[in-house]
Amino acid sequence: LRIINRDQLASMGRTAWTATGYTPGRLAREIARRKADWDSIVVPETRAIDLVRGEFDYSDEVLVLGPNDDLATSRAVDVFLAASPPN
């Protein structure tokens, strides 16, 4: 589960890494690594869905549970745990 807050929406993923000089190969590896680590992404508002999908080439579940505060984070974890199969 990856929770993205409003502050992170301004500079993240492909755009941020390209600006810091990542090569195309390094960029592809970083995006692949992160996608493999995440089952779902939580964003604070609907407009962030397309942004997150584009920045991380992400096609899996994106949950909108904003505004991003302690309550939203707590709700996101509850939703994720309820949807996760037991070990």
Side-chain angles (χ1 to χ4, degrees):
L1 178 65
R2 173 68 169 109
I3 299 172
I4 295 176
N5 64 41
R6 278 197 178 95
D7 295 337
Q8 293 168 318
L9 292 176
S11 178
M12 66 177 179
R14 178 186 315 282
T15 301
W17 297 324
T18 299
T20 60
Y22 278 33
T23 64
R26 183 175 179 195
L27 182 63
R29 287 188 301 275
E30 187 62 29
I31 288 172
R33 181 186 69 81
R34 292 185 187 236
K35 285 171 47 176
D37 286 345
W38 301 337
D39 295 316
S40 299
I41 296 177
V42 176
V43 295
E45 52 197 63
T46 304
R47 73 173 183 87
I49 294 172
D50 289 339
L51 178 63
V52 166
R53 289 195 186 285
E55 290 294 325
F56 298 103
D57 294 337
Y58 192 78
S59 60
D60 291 334
E61 183 176 39
V62 177
L63 303 169
V64 180
L65 297 173
N68 191 23
D69 55 20
D70 290 340
L71 178 59
T73 301
S74 175
R75 287 175 40 211
V77 171
D78 290 345
V79 167
F80 178 75
L81 291 175
S84 299
N87 291 334

